[in-house]
Amino acid sequence: MTALLVENLKVKRGQKFELRVEKLAIGRGLIIGVTGPNGSGKTTLLEAMVSLDGVTQGKISLQGIPITTKLYPIRSHLGYIPDDEDWFVAELTAREYFDLLISVYQKAGVVSNMQRTVTRLSKELNFVQFDQTLNSLSHGNKR
């Protein structure tokens, strides 16, 4: 079963760059990597898939639902962490940051068990720096 489908996608960035994807189908339960040289459109593709970048043409759907129509339920099934560090408030602790994210999703009516998931994954991944500020964490732990 196709979980994520990209068809006839076109995303334009500036005057010179345009990403075009004729078709990309990702099966349910798969973990993929997106590789390529600098400037080839990897970030543009991922941002389009989580509706952070404007799609000029084409469609992207998750389990048959276009990402532009029912955004909150779809985003609860996607994860995207940008490569830069402009996406978080460095003075927050990891615990405060997770609490902030959880509260945003709860207000949107999306999350019911996110707190349990964060706690379980932190134990499984041996993440013990919950009470350190984000700016004190290593690059890997920030992600």
Side-chain angles (χ1 to χ4, degrees):
M1 175 184 192
T2 300
L4 184 67
L5 180 62
V6 178
E7 294 180 297
N8 302 314
L9 179 70
K10 182 161 65 168
V11 180
K12 191 166 184 163
R13 279 205 169 161
Q15 296 296 319
K16 296 185 178 187
F17 182 79
E18 182 175 275
L19 172 69
R20 291 175 182 253
V21 178
E22 187 175 315
K23 185 171 185 178
L24 172 64
I26 301 171
R28 185 181 185 123
L30 294 178
I31 297 172
I32 64 158
V34 180
T35 62
N38 288 344
S40 63
K42 300 176 300 289
T43 299
T44 301
L45 174 63
L46 293 172
E47 289 179 351
M49 292 166 104
V50 295
S51 71
L52 293 177
D53 205 344
V55 173
T56 309
Q57 174 184 319
K59 71 177 186 172
I60 302 172
S61 58
L62 180 68
Q63 297 181 359
I65 303 169
I67 65 162
T68 54
T69 57
K70 298 186 178 186
L71 207 50
Y72 290 123
I74 288 172
R75 279 205 173 152
S76 69
H77 295 281
L78 296 173
Y80 171 70
I81 300 173
D83 194 32
D84 60 33
E85 296 181 4
D86 295 336
W87 54 272
F88 66 81
V89 180
E91 293 79 21
L92 293 177
T93 66
R95 185 180 313 279
E96 291 168 334
Y97 184 71
F98 278 113
D99 288 345
L100 173 65
L101 292 177
I102 291 167
S103 70
V104 168
Y105 277 95
Q106 284 174 335
K107 285 194 181 292
V110 175
V111 174
S112 61
N113 65 347
M114 191 176 230
Q115 186 67 49
R116 286 191 306 266
T117 302
V118 167
T119 302
R120 179 181 54 80
L121 288 175
S122 68
K123 287 177 183 174
E124 287 178 17
L125 298 172
N126 198 27
F127 182 74
V128 295
Q129 296 92 353
F130 255 131
D131 295 308
Q132 292 182 16
T133 58
L134 296 176
N135 61 353
S136 71
L137 298 177
S138 69
H139 180 75
N141 278 337
K142 286 176 186 174
R143 305 186 81 52

